[in-house]
Amino acid sequence: MFYTGTNRNWRPGWRMDSFGYVEPEAAKELVKRGFKVVGIDSPSVEMPRFREPETHRTLLSNGVLIIENLADSLSQLVGKTFKLYCLPIKVREGDGAPARVVAVLD
């Protein structure tokens, strides 16, 4: 899980031209280290105004699930060990879906 604090900026008039994201090289390292899920509190793991979705491609093509737009309550998990449950809504022929994401502290 990546906590960037981005969602603390969300308010009327906020433009999504600057937010925390996962660099393509970092995505490759996550794959190399065997991560199965990457979550972030930003609107995307991809950099703002990306040309090619390199981070998405790297993660998804290696079976790594992506959870984006996590709530600011992610800040409460920094430095802690927890189990994460992601419960997406089924969307026919979709490539993503809204989800309820729950963390349970160990």
Side-chain angles (χ1 to χ4, degrees):
M1 297 294 112
F2 289 96
Y3 174 69
T4 68
T6 296
N7 55 22
R8 286 183 284 149
N9 296 323
W10 296 348
R11 61 187 166 275
W14 179 66
R15 293 178 31 176
M16 291 191 342
D17 56 2
S18 177
F19 55 80
Y21 59 93
V22 179
E23 290 276 357
E25 288 302 314
K28 290 175 187 171
E29 186 64 26
L30 293 168
V31 168
K32 180 178 165 185
R33 292 182 184 212
F35 282 81
K36 299 295 179 200
V37 176
V38 171
I40 194 165
D41 61 336
S42 293
S44 178
V45 292
E46 213 68 63
M47 70 178 67
R49 297 190 175 104
F50 63 91
R51 291 193 178 128
E52 291 294 322
E54 294 177 59
T55 299
H56 278 88
R57 273 197 203 119
T58 297
L59 296 173
L60 295 173
S61 68
N62 287 284
V64 180
L65 299 176
I66 300 170
I67 306 170
E68 299 166 324
N69 265 336
L70 290 167
D72 189 56
S73 54
L74 181 61
S75 65
Q76 297 170 22
L77 302 174
V78 174
K80 297 180 180 164
T81 303
F82 55 91
K83 290 185 175 116
L84 186 81
Y85 299 92
C86 183
L87 310 165
I89 296 171
K90 286 188 174 189
V91 176
R92 185 180 298 178
E93 299 178 26
D95 66 351
R100 174 71 63 194
V101 181
V102 179
V104 178
L105 294 172
D106 282 346

